[in-house]
Amino acid sequence: MTVDAYGRRLDALRAALRRAPDGSGAPLGLAKRTSNLFRDRSEGAKRRLDLSAFTHVNRVDAAAGTVEVEGLATYETLVDATLPHGVMPAVVPQLKTITVGGAVAGVGIEATSFRHGLAHDTMLALDVLLPRGDIVTCTPYNEHRDLFYGFANSYGTLGYALRLVMRTIPVQPYVRVEHARYGSADAFFDALALACDGDADFVDGVVFGGDTLVLSTGRFAARAERVSDYTYEHIYYRSLLEKRVDYLSTYGYLWRWDTDWFWCSKNLGAQHPLLRRLYGRSRLNSRTYTRLMRLNSRLGLTRGLARWRGVHTESVIQDVDVPIAEAGRFLEFLLREIGVLPIWVCPIRVPGSQGSFTLYPVRPGELYVNFGFWDVVESRAAHPVGYYNRLIEREVLRCGGIKSLYSDVYMTWEEFEGAYGMGAYAGLKARYDPGGEMLGLYEKCVGRG
């Protein structure tokens, strides 16, 4: 955990880059064993860059409220390193396998986001490996501030994060969670907005149906009357309907959604008591489910079963952010047109002092609501490819919202350009990737490159 070791890794990387062949014009790509992108890709030949050495937490400075971490370190590694110092990353995305660099190059969110913004809003500095092999340090104040504010949501099209300095917050050993049930969307979103202006440390919720919405507010606690365990036999999201008050260890709270991939483990049989025991505690996690999902995608098992049943299916795996004023109408649209349940709800408010990130333009100080919904929509009628996802995209744009790009994207160029600041992005590409060594953001996300 030393900065000197990071310097040696940089020297080794520079030497490897000097030895690497030019790739005959193939675009640059990252060699990774795991990914939290959820879209099928039609990738051509790429020059694969191995950054697997950059997985370390170099320094935790609890007094300063910062941690220095390398880009390929997972949040599981980062949490393990920070909790013994009495701090945690200010925003910890829900799945253990998400890397810190990936959460910044993409969009990372969790129940602290109502106070601290998204993962990239907690970033203080980063070192970026540019497409031609240069390494630049970016801060909000230096000559590379355009890349600092342009890196978020760039998805490996401007460079790769090698080192980041991130903000931390102090923790206590436990989290006391209150679950409040509401019978209407209006009452639920009013309560959510009120909670975001209160003293809670964590705020999120789940929509189980139009008349069953649960708001969860968490607060750090020094002591616990009892501590629930959601890593094996008990399932966290079900507890929201069963318990008014719950206590978790801080570690258990941060990973409460990972054991069952929120609730998506049901699609892999992992919520059946017998199969759950066959999986075993060590395999009940997002890492296992992701592997199984990718295997299913390669083999086409679910698609084949759907054809045999005579139904048409479309994967709808999305996280979208809409202003709080539009949240009730957007939820009504989801229930009416899409029908995927449950739905995760997480408020976001970027601190007013934070600068604006070019490619994910949410307005600082304004409360947004993230809706996360992940399932397959079935219908007897055939629809054009991406039919339901296109409905969602149009509604998000109508609401003045924005969607994450980790999954299927079907926007036209005009829609994409307007939503994600492609004019400013063109300037970033011209400065930091003038030779087009990496794919463009539209080509990668919509063209599935």
Side-chain angles (χ1 to χ4, degrees):
M1 290 175 60
T2 68
V3 178
D4 289 344
Y6 170 68
R8 290 194 292 273
R9 286 188 284 276
L10 283 183
D11 290 340
L13 174 61
R14 291 187 181 101
L17 290 171
R18 287 193 295 269
R19 295 192 302 269
D22 64 10
S24 303
L28 192 61
L30 189 61
K32 285 182 66 178
R33 289 187 296 272
T34 63
S35 172
N36 283 286
L37 290 180
F38 290 91
R39 57 174 174 264
D40 292 330
R41 285 175 278 181
S42 52
E43 295 183 285
K46 285 187 178 180
R47 291 175 291 143
R48 293 294 178 181
L49 183 62
D50 184 3
L51 299 179
S52 59
F54 292 87
T55 59
H56 302 79
V57 179
N58 295 326
R59 177 189 293 143
V60 180
D61 189 336
T66 63
V67 59
E68 180 182 314
V69 59
E70 294 172 3
L72 272 291
T74 65
Y75 269 91
E76 181 178 29
T77 298
L78 184 54
V79 166
D80 286 349
T82 54
L83 284 186
H85 294 267
V87 297
M88 60 173 264
V91 175
V92 178
Q94 311 86 355
L95 306 181
K96 292 180 177 181
T97 56
I98 294 174
T99 62
V100 182
V104 170
V107 176
I109 179 178
E110 235 295 346
T112 57
S113 289
F114 76 99
R115 192 180 304 282
H116 301 287
L118 298 159
H120 58 257
D121 294 306
T122 72
M123 177 176 65
L124 300 172
L126 78 159
D127 292 349
V128 179
L129 173 65
L130 298 179
R132 290 187 171 177
D134 296 322
I135 299 169
V136 296
T137 297
C138 309
T139 77
Y141 312 107
N142 71 3
E143 69 272 27
H144 298 297
R145 71 183 307 273
D146 58 343
L147 185 55
F148 178 89
Y149 285 111
F151 191 81
N153 211 38
S154 64
Y155 282 90
T157 65
L158 295 173
Y160 298 119
L162 297 178
R163 180 192 69 101
L164 306 97
V165 180
M166 309 290 282
R167 286 194 296 108
T168 63
I169 58 175
V171 304
Q172 294 191 48
Y174 305 101
V175 177
R176 181 183 188 273
V177 190
E178 297 182 19
H179 304 303
R181 189 186 303 201
Y182 294 88
S184 73
D186 287 345
F188 173 80
F189 288 116
D190 285 347
L192 181 144
L194 189 63
C196 291
D197 291 330
D199 64 352
D201 296 301
F202 306 93
V203 179
D204 69 347
V206 174
V207 177
F208 292 93
D211 59 356
T212 309
L213 306 92
V214 178
L215 178 65
S216 300
T217 52
R219 292 171 176 82
F220 285 118
R223 294 175 296 278
E225 299 173 9
R226 59 197 175 279
V227 179
S228 296
D229 178 4
Y230 296 106
T231 62
Y232 191 25
E233 293 184 337
H234 302 291
I235 297 172
Y236 178 72
Y237 81 94
R238 292 179 180 171
S239 75
L240 276 61
L241 296 172
E242 299 166 350
K243 297 182 179 182
R244 178 72 176 80
V245 176
D246 202 359
Y247 286 86
L248 291 80
S249 69
T250 295
Y251 183 88
Y253 180 85
L254 293 178
W255 302 128
R256 67 201 184 283
W257 294 121
D258 190 84
T259 302
D260 282 283
W261 218 12
F262 284 83
W263 34 78
C264 297
S265 65
K266 68 180 186 294
N267 297 319
L268 299 165
Q271 294 183 23
H272 187 283
L274 177 58
L275 288 177
R276 200 168 182 85
R277 290 185 176 89
L278 290 175
Y279 271 94
R281 189 190 298 268
S282 65
R283 285 186 291 274
L284 292 170
N285 52 56
S286 60
R287 185 176 285 106
T288 296
Y289 308 139
T290 301
R291 289 171 181 159
L292 292 175
M293 181 205 70
R294 300 202 189 289
L295 178 63
N296 175 60
S297 180
R298 289 196 302 272
L299 299 179
L301 299 177
T302 300
R303 292 191 296 271
L305 180 60
R307 286 194 298 269
W308 178 76
R309 293 168 52 220
V311 297
H312 301 273
T313 62
E314 181 178 338
S315 177
V316 177
I317 301 175
Q318 300 289 353
D319 276 82
V320 306
D321 307 333
V322 303
I324 184 72
E326 296 286 341
R329 285 188 289 273
F330 185 77
L331 177 59
E332 181 182 358
F333 155 80
L334 283 181
L335 296 175
R336 182 183 68 248
E337 300 291 343
I338 310 301
V340 168
L341 288 169
I343 300 167
W344 186 55
V345 172
C346 187
I348 305 163
R349 183 159 49 202
V350 175
S353 59
Q354 179 66 63
S356 178
F357 284 85
T358 308
L359 305 182
Y360 210 77
V362 297
R363 293 178 289 277
E366 182 171 340
L367 188 62
Y368 289 75
V369 177
N370 173 274
F371 293 84
F373 39 98
W374 319 286
D375 213 328
V376 172
V377 177
E378 295 186 350
S379 65
R380 291 289 176 182
H383 293 296
V385 174
Y387 172 80
Y388 290 103
N389 285 283
R390 284 295 286 141
L391 287 178
I392 294 164
E393 289 174 349
R394 293 189 185 109
E395 186 67 13
V396 170
L397 294 176
R398 186 201 66 76
C399 290
I402 193 166
K403 63 171 274 185
S404 298
L405 299 175
Y406 70 89
S407 188
D408 293 318
V409 185
Y410 294 92
M411 292 182 186
T412 66
W413 166 252
E414 291 74 20
E415 291 170 333
F416 196 88
E417 181 182 32
Y420 298 101
M422 289 296 97
Y425 176 75
L428 289 166
K429 284 292 273 189
R431 182 179 182 190
Y432 294 104
D433 186 19
E437 306 281 338
M438 292 177 159
L439 291 173
L441 188 62
Y442 186 79
E443 291 74 23
K444 186 165 188 177
C445 295
V446 183
R448 303 186 179 197

Coordinates of all heavy atoms in Angstrom, one line a residue, residues 8-84:
R8 N 6.4 2.2 -9.5 CA 7.1 1.1 -10.2 C 6.1 0.5 -11.2 O 6.6 0.0 -12.2 CB 7.6 0.1 -9.1 CG 8.8 0.6 -8.3 CD 9.4 -0.6 -7.5 NE 8.6 -1.1 -6.5 CZ 8.5 -0.6 -5.2 NH1 9.3 0.5 -4.9 NH2 7.7 -1.1 -4.4
R9 N 4.9 0.4 -10.8 CA 3.9 -0.2 -11.8 C 3.8 0.7 -13.0 O 3.6 0.3 -14.1 CB 2.5 -0.4 -11.1 CG 2.5 -1.6 -10.1 CD 1.1 -1.9 -9.6 NE 0.7 -1.0 -8.5 CZ 1.1 -1.1 -7.3 NH1 1.9 -2.1 -6.9 NH2 0.6 -0.2 -6.3
L10 N 3.8 2.0 -12.8 CA 3.8 3.0 -13.9 C 5.0 2.8 -14.8 O 4.9 2.7 -16.1 CB 3.8 4.4 -13.4 CG 2.5 5.0 -12.9 CD1 2.6 6.4 -12.5 CD2 1.3 4.8 -13.9
D11 N 6.2 2.6 -14.2 CA 7.4 2.4 -15.0 C 7.3 1.1 -15.9 O 7.6 1.0 -17.0 CB 8.6 2.3 -14.1 CG 9.0 3.6 -13.5 OD1 8.5 4.7 -14.0 OD2 9.7 3.6 -12.5
A12 N 6.7 0.0 -15.2 CA 6.5 -1.2 -15.9 C 5.5 -1.1 -17.1 O 5.7 -1.7 -18.2 CB 6.1 -2.3 -15.0
L13 N 4.5 -0.3 -16.8 CA 3.5 -0.1 -17.9 C 4.1 0.7 -19.1 O 3.9 0.3 -20.2 CB 2.3 0.7 -17.3 CG 1.2 1.1 -18.3 CD1 0.6 -0.1 -19.0 CD2 0.2 2.0 -17.6
R14 N 4.9 1.7 -18.8 CA 5.5 2.5 -19.9 C 6.4 1.6 -20.7 O 6.4 1.7 -21.9 CB 6.3 3.7 -19.3 CG 5.4 4.7 -18.7 CD 6.2 6.0 -18.2 NE 5.4 7.0 -17.6 CZ 5.3 7.2 -16.3 NH1 6.0 6.5 -15.5 NH2 4.6 8.2 -15.9
A15 N 7.2 0.7 -20.0 CA 8.1 -0.2 -20.7 C 7.3 -1.1 -21.6 O 7.6 -1.4 -22.8 CB 8.9 -1.0 -19.7
A16 N 6.1 -1.6 -21.1 CA 5.3 -2.6 -21.9 C 4.7 -1.9 -23.1 O 4.6 -2.4 -24.2 CB 4.2 -3.1 -21.0
L17 N 4.3 -0.6 -22.9 CA 3.7 0.1 -24.0 C 4.8 0.4 -25.1 O 4.4 0.4 -26.3 CB 3.2 1.5 -23.5 CG 1.9 1.4 -22.7 CD1 1.6 2.7 -22.0 CD2 0.7 0.8 -23.5
R18 N 6.0 0.6 -24.7 CA 7.1 0.8 -25.7 C 7.3 -0.4 -26.6 O 7.6 -0.4 -27.7 CB 8.4 1.3 -25.1 CG 8.3 2.7 -24.6 CD 9.7 3.2 -24.2 NE 10.3 2.5 -23.1 CZ 10.2 2.8 -21.8 NH1 9.5 3.9 -21.5 NH2 10.7 2.1 -20.8
R19 N 7.1 -1.6 -25.9 CA 7.4 -2.9 -26.6 C 6.2 -3.3 -27.4 O 6.3 -4.2 -28.3 CB 7.7 -4.0 -25.6 CG 9.0 -3.8 -24.8 CD 9.4 -5.0 -24.1 NE 8.3 -5.4 -23.1 CZ 8.3 -5.1 -21.9 NH1 9.2 -4.2 -21.4 NH2 7.3 -5.5 -21.1
A20 N 5.0 -2.8 -27.2 CA 3.8 -3.3 -27.8 C 3.7 -3.0 -29.3 O 4.2 -1.9 -29.7 CB 2.6 -2.7 -27.1
P21 N 3.2 -3.9 -30.1 CA 3.0 -3.6 -31.5 C 1.9 -2.6 -31.7 O 1.1 -2.3 -30.8 CB 2.6 -5.0 -32.1 CG 2.0 -5.7 -30.9 CD 2.8 -5.3 -29.7
D22 N 1.9 -2.0 -32.9 CA 1.0 -0.9 -33.1 C -0.5 -1.4 -33.4 O -1.4 -0.5 -33.3 CB 1.4 0.0 -34.3 CG 1.4 -0.8 -35.6 OD1 0.9 -1.9 -35.7 OD2 2.0 -0.3 -36.6
G23 N -0.7 -2.6 -33.6 CA -2.0 -3.2 -33.7 C -2.7 -2.9 -35.1 O -3.8 -3.2 -35.3
S24 N -1.9 -2.4 -36.1 CA -2.4 -2.2 -37.4 C -3.7 -1.5 -37.5 O -4.6 -1.8 -38.3 CB -2.5 -3.6 -38.1 OG -1.3 -4.3 -38.1
G25 N -3.8 -0.5 -36.7 CA -5.0 0.4 -36.8 C -6.2 -0.1 -36.0 O -7.2 0.6 -36.0
A26 N -6.1 -1.2 -35.3 CA -7.2 -1.7 -34.5 C -7.4 -0.8 -33.3 O -6.5 -0.3 -32.7 CB -7.0 -3.1 -34.0
P27 N -8.7 -0.5 -32.9 CA -8.9 0.4 -31.8 C -8.4 -0.3 -30.5 O -8.3 -1.5 -30.4 CB -10.4 0.6 -31.8 CG -11.0 -0.6 -32.5 CD -9.9 -0.9 -33.5
L28 N -8.1 0.6 -29.5 CA -7.6 0.1 -28.2 C -8.8 -0.3 -27.3 O -9.8 0.3 -27.3 CB -6.9 1.3 -27.5 CG -6.0 1.0 -26.3 CD1 -4.9 0.0 -26.7 CD2 -5.4 2.2 -25.8
G29 N -8.6 -1.4 -26.6 CA -9.6 -1.9 -25.7 C -8.9 -2.4 -24.4 O -7.7 -2.7 -24.4
L30 N -9.7 -2.5 -23.3 CA -9.1 -2.9 -22.1 C -9.3 -4.4 -21.9 O -10.4 -5.0 -22.1 CB -9.8 -2.2 -20.9 CG -9.3 -2.4 -19.5 CD1 -7.8 -1.9 -19.4 CD2 -10.1 -1.6 -18.5
A31 N -8.3 -5.2 -21.5 CA -8.4 -6.6 -21.2 C -8.8 -6.8 -19.8 O -8.1 -6.4 -18.9 CB -7.0 -7.3 -21.5
K32 N -10.0 -7.3 -19.6 CA -10.6 -7.5 -18.2 C -11.3 -8.8 -18.2 O -11.9 -9.2 -19.2 CB -11.6 -6.4 -17.9 CG -11.0 -5.0 -17.5 CD -12.1 -4.1 -17.2 CE -12.8 -4.5 -15.9 NZ -13.9 -3.5 -15.5
R33 N -11.1 -9.5 -17.0 CA -11.8 -10.8 -16.9 C -13.3 -10.6 -16.5 O -14.1 -11.5 -16.7 CB -11.1 -11.6 -15.8 CG -9.7 -12.1 -16.2 CD -9.1 -13.1 -15.2 NE -8.9 -12.4 -14.0 CZ -7.7 -11.8 -13.7 NH1 -6.8 -11.7 -14.6 NH2 -7.5 -11.2 -12.5
T34 N -13.6 -9.4 -15.9 CA -15.0 -9.2 -15.5 C -15.4 -7.9 -16.1 O -14.6 -7.0 -16.4 CB -15.1 -9.1 -14.0 OG1 -14.3 -8.0 -13.5 CG2 -14.6 -10.4 -13.3
S35 N -16.7 -7.7 -16.2 CA -17.3 -6.4 -16.7 C -18.7 -6.3 -16.1 O -19.4 -7.2 -15.9 CB -17.4 -6.5 -18.2 OG -18.1 -5.3 -18.7
N36 N -19.1 -5.0 -15.8 CA -20.4 -4.7 -15.4 C -21.2 -4.0 -16.4 O -22.1 -3.3 -16.1 CB -20.4 -3.9 -14.0 CG -20.1 -4.8 -12.9 OD1 -20.9 -5.6 -12.4 ND2 -18.9 -4.8 -12.4
L37 N -20.7 -4.1 -17.7 CA -21.6 -3.7 -18.8 C -22.6 -4.8 -19.1 O -22.3 -6.0 -19.1 CB -20.7 -3.5 -20.1 CG -19.7 -2.3 -20.0 CD1 -19.0 -2.2 -21.3 CD2 -20.5 -1.0 -19.8
F38 N -23.8 -4.3 -19.4 CA -24.9 -5.3 -19.6 C -25.5 -5.0 -21.0 O -26.7 -4.7 -21.1 CB -25.9 -5.2 -18.5 CG -25.4 -5.8 -17.2 CD1 -24.8 -4.9 -16.3 CD2 -25.5 -7.1 -16.9 CE1 -24.3 -5.4 -15.1 CE2 -25.0 -7.6 -15.7 CZ -24.4 -6.7 -14.8
R39 N -24.7 -5.1 -22.0 CA -25.2 -5.1 -23.4 C -24.4 -6.1 -24.2 O -23.2 -6.2 -24.0 CB -25.2 -3.7 -24.0 CG -23.8 -3.1 -24.0 CD -23.8 -1.8 -24.8 NE -22.5 -1.1 -24.7 CZ -22.2 -0.2 -23.8 NH1 -23.2 0.2 -22.9 NH2 -21.0 0.4 -23.7
D40 N -25.0 -6.8 -25.1 CA -24.2 -7.7 -26.0 C -23.4 -6.8 -26.9 O -23.9 -5.8 -27.4 CB -25.2 -8.6 -26.8 CG -25.9 -9.6 -25.9 OD1 -25.3 -10.0 -24.9 OD2 -27.0 -10.0 -26.2
R41 N -22.2 -7.2 -27.2 CA -21.3 -6.4 -28.0 C -20.9 -7.1 -29.3 O -20.7 -8.3 -29.2 CB -20.1 -6.0 -27.2 CG -20.4 -4.9 -26.2 CD -19.2 -4.5 -25.4 NE -19.0 -5.5 -24.3 CZ -18.1 -5.4 -23.4 NH1 -17.2 -4.5 -23.4 NH2 -18.0 -6.3 -22.4
S42 N -20.8 -6.4 -30.4 CA -20.3 -7.0 -31.6 C -19.0 -6.4 -31.9 O -18.8 -5.6 -32.8 CB -21.3 -6.6 -32.8 OG -21.6 -5.2 -32.8
E43 N -18.0 -6.8 -31.1 CA -16.7 -6.2 -31.2 C -15.9 -6.8 -32.3 O -15.8 -8.0 -32.5 CB -15.9 -6.4 -29.8 CG -16.6 -5.7 -28.6 CD -15.7 -6.0 -27.4 OE1 -15.8 -7.1 -26.9 OE2 -15.0 -5.0 -27.0
G44 N -15.2 -5.9 -33.0 CA -14.2 -6.3 -33.9 C -12.8 -6.5 -33.3 O -12.7 -6.5 -32.0
A45 N -11.8 -6.6 -34.1 CA -10.4 -6.7 -33.5 C -10.0 -5.5 -32.7 O -10.3 -4.4 -33.1 CB -9.4 -7.0 -34.6
K46 N -9.4 -5.7 -31.6 CA -8.9 -4.6 -30.8 C -7.5 -5.0 -30.2 O -7.1 -6.1 -30.1 CB -9.8 -4.4 -29.6 CG -11.1 -3.7 -29.9 CD -11.9 -3.3 -28.7 CE -13.2 -2.6 -29.0 NZ -14.0 -2.2 -27.8
R47 N -6.8 -3.9 -29.9 CA -5.5 -4.1 -29.2 C -5.8 -4.1 -27.7 O -6.3 -3.1 -27.2 CB -4.6 -2.9 -29.5 CG -4.0 -2.9 -31.0 CD -3.2 -1.7 -31.2 NE -4.0 -0.5 -31.2 CZ -3.7 0.7 -30.8 NH1 -2.5 0.8 -30.2 NH2 -4.5 1.7 -30.8
R48 N -5.7 -5.2 -27.1 CA -6.1 -5.4 -25.7 C -4.9 -4.9 -24.8 O -3.8 -5.4 -24.9 CB -6.4 -6.8 -25.4 CG -7.7 -7.3 -26.1 CD -8.9 -6.5 -25.6 NE -10.1 -6.9 -26.3 CZ -11.3 -6.4 -26.0 NH1 -11.4 -5.4 -25.1 NH2 -12.4 -6.8 -26.7
L49 N -5.3 -4.0 -23.9 CA -4.3 -3.4 -22.9 C -4.6 -4.1 -21.5 O -5.7 -4.0 -21.0 CB -4.5 -1.9 -22.9 CG -3.5 -1.2 -22.0 CD1 -2.1 -1.3 -22.4 CD2 -3.9 0.3 -22.0
D50 N -3.5 -4.7 -21.0 CA -3.6 -5.3 -19.7 C -3.2 -4.4 -18.6 O -2.0 -4.0 -18.4 CB -2.8 -6.6 -19.7 CG -2.9 -7.4 -18.4 OD1 -3.7 -7.0 -17.5 OD2 -2.2 -8.4 -18.2
L51 N -4.2 -3.9 -17.8 CA -3.9 -3.1 -16.6 C -4.2 -3.8 -15.3 O -4.4 -3.1 -14.3 CB -4.7 -1.8 -16.7 CG -4.5 -0.9 -18.0 CD1 -5.4 0.3 -17.9 CD2 -3.0 -0.5 -18.0
S52 N -4.1 -5.1 -15.3 CA -4.5 -5.9 -14.2 C -3.5 -5.7 -13.0 O -3.9 -6.1 -11.8 CB -4.5 -7.4 -14.5 OG -3.3 -7.8 -15.0
A53 N -2.4 -5.0 -13.2 CA -1.5 -4.7 -12.0 C -2.0 -3.6 -11.2 O -1.6 -3.4 -10.0 CB -0.1 -4.4 -12.5
F54 N -3.0 -2.8 -11.7 CA -3.4 -1.6 -11.0 C -4.7 -1.8 -10.2 O -5.7 -1.3 -10.5 CB -3.6 -0.5 -12.1 CG -2.3 0.0 -12.7 CD1 -1.8 -0.6 -13.8 CD2 -1.6 1.0 -12.1 CE1 -0.6 -0.2 -14.4 CE2 -0.4 1.5 -12.7 CZ 0.1 0.8 -13.8
T55 N -4.5 -2.6 -9.2 CA -5.6 -3.1 -8.3 C -5.4 -2.7 -6.9 O -6.1 -3.3 -6.0 CB -5.8 -4.6 -8.5 OG1 -4.6 -5.3 -8.0 CG2 -6.2 -5.0 -9.9
H56 N -4.5 -1.8 -6.5 CA -4.1 -1.6 -5.2 C -4.8 -0.3 -4.6 O -5.1 0.6 -5.2 CB -2.6 -1.5 -5.1 CG -1.9 -2.7 -5.6 ND1 -1.7 -2.9 -6.9 CD2 -1.3 -3.7 -4.9 CE1 -1.0 -4.0 -7.1 NE2 -0.8 -4.5 -5.9
V57 N -4.9 -0.4 -3.3 CA -5.3 0.8 -2.5 C -4.0 1.3 -1.9 O -3.3 0.6 -1.1 CB -6.3 0.5 -1.4 CG1 -6.6 1.8 -0.5 CG2 -7.6 -0.1 -2.0
N58 N -3.5 2.5 -2.3 CA -2.2 2.9 -2.0 C -2.1 3.7 -0.7 O -1.1 3.6 0.0 CB -1.6 3.8 -3.1 CG -1.4 3.1 -4.4 OD1 -1.1 1.9 -4.4 ND2 -1.7 3.7 -5.5
R59 N -3.2 4.4 -0.3 CA -3.1 5.2 0.9 C -4.5 5.5 1.4 O -5.3 5.9 0.6 CB -2.3 6.5 0.7 CG -2.2 7.4 1.9 CD -1.6 8.8 1.6 NE -0.2 8.6 1.2 CZ 0.4 9.4 0.3 NH1 -0.3 10.2 -0.4 NH2 1.7 9.2 0.0
V60 N -4.7 5.4 2.7 CA -6.0 5.8 3.3 C -5.6 6.9 4.3 O -4.8 6.7 5.2 CB -6.7 4.7 4.0 CG1 -8.0 5.2 4.7 CG2 -7.0 3.5 3.0
D61 N -6.1 8.1 4.1 CA -5.9 9.2 5.0 C -7.2 9.6 5.7 O -8.0 10.4 5.1 CB -5.3 10.4 4.3 CG -4.8 11.5 5.2 OD1 -5.3 11.6 6.3 OD2 -3.9 12.3 4.8
A62 N -7.5 8.9 6.8 CA -8.8 9.1 7.4 C -9.0 10.6 7.9 O -10.1 11.1 7.8 CB -9.0 8.2 8.6
A63 N -7.9 11.2 8.4 CA -8.0 12.6 8.9 C -8.3 13.5 7.8 O -9.1 14.5 8.0 CB -6.7 12.9 9.5
A64 N -7.7 13.3 6.6 CA -8.0 14.2 5.5 C -9.3 13.8 4.7 O -9.8 14.6 3.9 CB -6.8 14.2 4.5
G65 N -9.8 12.6 5.0 CA -11.1 12.2 4.3 C -10.8 11.8 2.9 O -11.7 12.0 2.0
T66 N -9.7 11.2 2.6 CA -9.3 10.8 1.2 C -8.7 9.4 1.2 O -8.2 8.9 2.2 CB -8.3 11.7 0.6 OG1 -7.1 11.7 1.4 CG2 -8.8 13.2 0.6
V67 N -8.8 8.8 0.0 CA -8.2 7.5 -0.2 C -7.6 7.5 -1.6 O -8.2 8.1 -2.5 CB -9.2 6.3 -0.1 CG1 -10.4 6.4 -1.0 CG2 -8.5 5.0 -0.3
E68 N -6.4 7.0 -1.8 CA -5.8 6.9 -3.1 C -5.9 5.5 -3.5 O -5.4 4.6 -2.8 CB -4.3 7.4 -3.0 CG -3.6 7.3 -4.4 CD -2.1 7.7 -4.3 OE1 -1.9 8.7 -3.7 OE2 -1.3 6.9 -4.8
V69 N -6.4 5.2 -4.7 CA -6.8 3.9 -5.1 C -6.5 3.8 -6.6 O -6.6 4.7 -7.4 CB -8.2 3.5 -4.8 CG1 -9.2 4.5 -5.4 CG2 -8.5 2.1 -5.2
E70 N -6.1 2.6 -7.0 CA -5.8 2.4 -8.5 C -7.1 2.0 -9.2 O -8.1 1.4 -8.6 CB -4.7 1.3 -8.6 CG -3.4 1.9 -8.1 CD -2.3 0.9 -8.0 OE1 -2.5 -0.3 -8.5 OE2 -1.2 1.2 -7.5
G71 N -7.1 2.2 -10.5 CA -8.3 2.1 -11.3 C -9.0 0.8 -11.4 O -10.2 0.7 -11.5
L72 N -8.2 -0.3 -11.4 CA -8.8 -1.6 -11.5 C -9.1 -2.3 -10.2 O -9.5 -3.4 -10.1 CB -7.8 -2.5 -12.3 CG -8.0 -2.5 -13.9 CD1 -9.3 -3.2 -14.3 CD2 -7.9 -1.1 -14.4
A73 N -8.9 -1.6 -9.1 CA -9.3 -2.1 -7.8 C -10.8 -2.1 -7.7 O -11.5 -1.2 -8.2 CB -8.8 -1.2 -6.7
T74 N -11.4 -3.2 -7.2 CA -12.8 -3.3 -7.0 C -13.3 -2.5 -5.8 O -12.5 -2.3 -4.9 CB -13.3 -4.7 -6.9 OG1 -12.8 -5.3 -5.7 CG2 -12.9 -5.6 -8.1
Y75 N -14.5 -2.2 -5.7 CA -15.1 -1.5 -4.5 C -15.0 -2.5 -3.3 O -14.9 -2.0 -2.2 CB -16.5 -1.0 -4.7 CG -16.4 0.4 -5.2 CD1 -16.4 0.7 -6.6 CD2 -16.4 1.5 -4.3 CE1 -16.3 2.0 -7.0 CE2 -16.3 2.8 -4.7 CZ -16.3 3.1 -6.1 OH -16.2 4.4 -6.5
E76 N -15.0 -3.8 -3.6 CA -14.9 -4.7 -2.5 C -13.5 -4.5 -1.8 O -13.4 -4.5 -0.6 CB -15.0 -6.2 -3.0 CG -14.9 -7.2 -1.9 CD -15.1 -8.6 -2.4 OE1 -14.8 -8.9 -3.6 OE2 -15.5 -9.5 -1.6
T77 N -12.5 -4.4 -2.7 CA -11.1 -4.2 -2.2 C -11.0 -2.9 -1.5 O -10.4 -2.7 -0.4 CB -10.1 -4.2 -3.4 OG1 -10.1 -5.5 -3.9 CG2 -8.7 -3.9 -2.9
L78 N -11.7 -1.8 -2.0 CA -11.6 -0.5 -1.4 C -12.3 -0.4 -0.1 O -11.8 0.2 0.9 CB -12.2 0.5 -2.4 CG -12.1 2.0 -2.0 CD1 -10.7 2.4 -1.7 CD2 -12.7 2.9 -3.1
V79 N -13.4 -1.0 0.0 CA -14.2 -1.1 1.3 C -13.4 -1.8 2.3 O -13.2 -1.4 3.5 CB -15.6 -1.7 1.1 CG1 -16.2 -2.0 2.4 CG2 -16.5 -0.7 0.3
D80 N -12.8 -3.0 1.9 CA -12.0 -3.7 2.9 C -10.8 -2.9 3.4 O -10.3 -3.1 4.5 CB -11.4 -5.0 2.2 CG -12.5 -6.1 2.0 OD1 -13.6 -5.9 2.6 OD2 -12.3 -7.0 1.2
A81 N -10.3 -2.0 2.6 CA -9.1 -1.2 3.0 C -9.5 0.0 3.8 O -8.7 0.4 4.7 CB -8.3 -0.8 1.8
T82 N -10.7 0.5 3.6 CA -11.0 1.8 4.3 C -11.7 1.5 5.6 O -11.5 2.3 6.6 CB -11.9 2.6 3.4 OG1 -13.0 1.9 3.0 CG2 -11.1 3.2 2.2
L83 N -12.6 0.5 5.7 CA -13.3 0.3 7.0 C -12.5 0.2 8.2 O -12.8 0.7 9.3 CB -14.3 -0.9 6.8 CG -15.6 -0.7 6.0 CD1 -16.5 -1.9 6.1 CD2 -16.3 0.6 6.4
P84 N -11.3 -0.5 8.2 CA -10.5 -0.6 9.4 C -10.0 0.8 9.9 O -9.6 0.9 11.0 CB -9.3 -1.5 8.9 CG -9.9 -2.3 7.8 CD -10.8 -1.4 7.1

